[in-house]
Amino acid sequence: MHRARMEGQALTPYHRGVMPPLMSTPPLCAAIIPVTPLQQNCSLIWCAATMRGAFVDPGGDLPRLRAAAEQAGVTVEKILLTHGHIDHAGEAKPLAEALGVPIEGPHREDQWLLQSLAETGRGYGVTGVSFDAPDRWLVEGDTVSVGELVLNVYETPGHTPGHVVFHHPPSRLALVGDVLFLGSVGRTDFPRSDPAALIRSVVEKLWPMGDATAFIPGHGPTSTFAHERRGNPFVSDAALARA
């Protein structure tokens, strides 16, 4: 869920189905599978050395997700959640149960969203399966492992109070959920959203990862931090200087 509207944007193969691997050289590989009518970017990331992987934000369309993992030859060992919104976490619990894997993330401040997924899903006309807690809540400074990969965890509140992002420094890749998009930022008109906190999350947590860092957002095309610092109307260097 983000500020920018996708209407009028030409559909590319990226939006229609499984994206070819975004990164296909060791140690990390990633593919994007847009799911649900909200076209949320579920990411399948995996360790090239072990072919063990994780789904990040599996909001729905579980047969498509399982087919993507099978097609890539990846054994999924966990599910990672950036935050608790329906399009990101709606079917995380049944997928975890079907695969026999744990859920890690988000931060505990999003528990109320996980507990209300069924109700929220009815409002959006999509499947939502509520659950009380993941197998592991995440906090600033934690790491998550996927095969031999180790990703750093950062707390990035604003869009939701318990939002987190994942960063793999060797690959210069971040999975940022609904914090930042190509040319936009996450919405802050939801309950317990905080516009000032969102801007701080971008400036204090994302930008220090480096301009060369590429990122997978929760919706829409990928980008780099350098590109967003140059031209994003909400968080570019020029926009923040005017604020």
Side-chain angles (χ1 to χ4, degrees):
M1 299 176 184
H2 59 113
R3 291 184 192 274
R5 295 289 182 259
M6 303 299 291
E7 288 87 347
Q9 196 174 75
L11 289 179
T12 66
Y14 169 90
H15 290 100
R16 288 197 293 264
V18 178
M19 182 183 178
L22 175 70
M23 303 189 65
S24 56
T25 56
L28 184 151
C29 299
I32 299 170
I33 310 100
V35 297
T36 82
L38 297 169
Q39 288 292 280
Q40 190 277 125
N41 289 337
C42 174
S43 296
L44 173 63
I45 63 171
W46 68 94
C47 169
T50 64
M51 295 303 292
R52 300 187 69 83
F55 282 119
V56 183
D57 292 349
D61 295 332
L62 302 192
R64 180 187 297 178
L65 298 184
R66 297 187 70 169
E70 182 177 357
Q71 177 183 340
V74 173
T75 299
V76 175
E77 64 180 15
K78 66 182 57 177
I79 290 168
L80 303 176
L81 295 179
T82 62
H83 64 292
H85 277 162
I86 182 68
D87 50 333
H88 292 254
E91 292 196 67
K93 186 63 172 178
L95 181 59
E97 291 175 345
L99 297 177
V101 301
I103 300 174
E104 299 186 10
H107 185 278
R108 187 183 296 271
E109 286 293 323
D110 270 13
Q111 183 172 32
W112 62 289
L113 289 169
L114 301 179
Q115 293 173 331
S116 61
L117 286 169
E119 179 182 358
T120 304
R122 286 191 291 272
Y124 279 91
V126 299
T127 300
V129 179
S130 302
F131 59 104
D132 284 331
D135 296 275
R136 178 190 178 196
W137 295 112
L138 296 174
V139 299
E140 183 89 11
D142 279 347
T143 60
V144 295
S145 61
V146 179
E148 296 176 357
L149 307 173
V150 178
L151 290 84
N152 299 326
V153 176
Y154 295 86
E155 294 178 27
T156 51
H159 181 65
T160 71
H163 201 296
V164 300
V165 303
F166 304 102
H167 181 219
H168 188 245
S171 300
R172 295 188 295 187
L173 178 70
L175 299 106
V176 303
D178 283 359
V179 174
L180 182 68
F181 304 97
L182 173 64
S184 191
V185 294
R187 287 175 56 180
T188 54
D189 56 347
F190 294 113
R192 297 187 62 187
S193 293
D194 183 333
L198 180 72
I199 299 301
R200 287 196 300 272
S201 290
V202 172
V203 173
E204 298 175 6
K205 303 297 178 67
L206 300 190
W207 289 171
M209 295 178 190
D211 284 357
T213 301
F215 69 92
I216 300 176
H219 303 264
T222 59
S223 184
T224 67
F225 292 158
H227 181 83
E228 301 311 306
R229 293 189 71 169
R230 286 195 303 268
N232 189 300
F234 299 97
V235 290
S236 67
D237 293 350
L240 294 177
R242 293 192 298 267

